[in-house]
Amino acid sequence: MDQAWQIQATMSDSRGKHITEVINTYSKRLMGFIRKRVSSEADAEDILQDVFYQFMGNTKPIEQLTSWLFTVTRNKITDKQRKKKPELLEDLYQSNGEEGFEWSDLFFDDKNNPETAYLRSIFWDALYAALNELPTPQREAFVLNEIEGIPFKDIAEQTGETVNTLISRKRYAVLHLRERLGNLRDELLNQS
């Protein structure tokens, strides 16, 4: 009985050394690969950890280790991007915690005074003008998903584009719209 325990412990030590060696050998290369494809250091570290966790849990022999590691890494990056919450219209009219005017105040204000109506009109004019500045694919992705409320999956089926492509296009649209509406907000605040 003691002999069986020693053999299992020895195999475990050997496997542990192999795992440590692989981690030491591939960590820098994989992290560089990941950093080029994700926006935050925290996401990069999470992905690298997930890759090595999957490697440690793998029970099947791996013939081409480098290829396997980079394939798993690429898949983990894709999974992380799919789970990311797409940018929303609400993100356009938030001032990122700054004090003062908020676009969102216009939409939740029950008062129908001339000033509120005028500011709403300015917002929508600026939004539509900024939308018209976008390339058609970005504008369509934003309008279909955010304004018309069509899920990305349905848009993908209609257009033949992938969901990730549509999310990316909408993200670029949101970034552009946020900048344009932020500029308008700043102009309005500076006039006061």
Side-chain angles (χ1 to χ4, degrees):
M1 186 88 165
D2 288 337
Q3 186 178 15
W5 174 254
Q6 289 174 344
I7 291 172
Q8 189 174 12
T10 305
M11 288 175 54
S12 179
D13 286 344
S14 168
R15 180 165 166 74
K17 286 179 185 176
H18 176 66
I19 289 171
T20 302
E21 183 180 311
V22 168
I23 290 172
N24 289 338
T25 303
Y26 287 94
S27 288
K28 274 188 170 178
R29 285 178 59 196
L30 290 173
M31 186 56 104
F33 180 79
I34 297 166
R35 281 184 180 131
K36 291 178 185 176
R37 290 159 177 80
V38 299
S39 57
S40 79
E41 186 69 18
D43 285 347
E45 290 171 2
D46 288 346
I47 291 168
L48 184 64
Q49 182 177 352
D50 288 346
V51 169
F52 286 130
Y53 184 75
Q54 184 170 337
F55 174 70
M56 290 186 308
N58 184 50
T59 57
K60 297 178 182 174
I62 301 171
E63 290 184 25
Q64 299 201 352
L65 181 61
T66 304
S67 175
W68 186 91
L69 286 169
F70 279 91
T71 300
V72 169
T73 302
R74 190 175 299 109
N75 292 341
K76 296 288 182 188
I77 292 168
T78 301
D79 290 346
K80 188 77 153 177
Q81 290 170 343
R82 283 185 184 144
K83 290 177 185 174
K84 274 217 184 273
K85 181 180 164 189
E87 310 242 8
L88 302 174
L89 182 61
E90 291 88 29
D91 295 338
L92 295 178
Y93 48 75
Q94 298 297 323
S95 67
N96 299 326
E98 298 171 15
E99 292 297 320
F101 177 77
E102 297 279 347
W103 287 115
S104 59
D105 294 342
L106 295 176
F107 302 107
F108 303 112
D109 187 353
D110 292 339
K111 301 172 199 159
N112 279 327
N113 62 41
E115 183 182 5
T116 303
Y118 175 69
L119 289 174
R120 282 183 187 141
S121 171
I122 289 175
F123 172 83
W124 288 111
D125 288 347
L127 178 66
Y128 289 126
L131 280 170
N132 286 330
E133 295 170 356
L134 290 168
T136 302
Q138 290 177 11
R139 180 176 56 247
E140 288 176 353
F142 179 85
V143 169
L144 290 173
N145 180 255
E146 194 62 49
I147 296 176
E148 296 181 16
I150 301 172
F152 284 119
K153 184 179 176 188
D154 295 345
I155 299 170
E157 289 172 4
Q158 292 172 6
T159 63
E161 298 287 348
T162 66
V163 170
N164 282 342
T165 298
L166 294 169
I167 289 172
S168 177
R169 288 177 180 168
K170 179 182 172 185
R171 179 179 180 276
Y172 286 117
V174 168
L175 293 174
H176 174 73
L177 296 172
R178 183 183 297 147
E179 179 183 342
R180 293 281 278 122
L181 292 173
N183 291 342
L184 176 61
R185 177 185 171 277
D186 293 343
E187 287 175 23
L188 290 172
L189 287 174
N190 291 333
Q191 287 179 357
S192 306

